[in-house]
Amino acid sequence: MVEHGEPGAAAEVLLDALEFAPEDEVPGLRVQLGIAHLELACAEFAESVEGGADARTGALAIELLARTLPLRGRADDADRVWTYGLEHENEALAAEVRLRYHRDA
């Protein structure tokens, strides 16, 4: 379900499965649930930026999205998110993103 763009539905199924799963399957199900939650988080971060968040909130959402995407094997998408933030037309947002981008450098 996650691979088909339905992480919310996947999370619901996994939560139900955890109630009845044999003990040796629980760790794997928890990892899958975490992956579903990461996908949900990415969608929320993107929606926050697209929804017109203030500069600090938008920069935080961009950073979180850009740092989470590589965990899902999407490094190219993360680069695009950073570029979007660094080159944003709202200079206050771009400045906040620059601070976050360069903090680990």
Side-chain angles (χ1 to χ4, degrees), residues 34-45:
I35 290 169
H37 284 155
L38 281 175
E39 288 296 320
L40 287 168
C42 286
E44 291 299 329
F45 298 148

Side-chain angles (χ1 to χ4, degrees), residues 56-92:
R56 291 186 74 178
T57 302
L60 176 60
I62 287 168
E63 177 185 21
L64 292 170
L65 181 57
R67 294 193 190 279
T68 302
L69 286 169
L71 297 174
R72 296 292 296 131
R74 297 169 57 191
D76 290 345
D77 289 339
D79 290 341
R80 282 190 284 282
V81 169
W82 278 123
T83 300
Y84 171 83
L86 293 167
E87 297 176 357
H88 200 277
E89 63 188 30
N90 179 330
E91 184 50 40

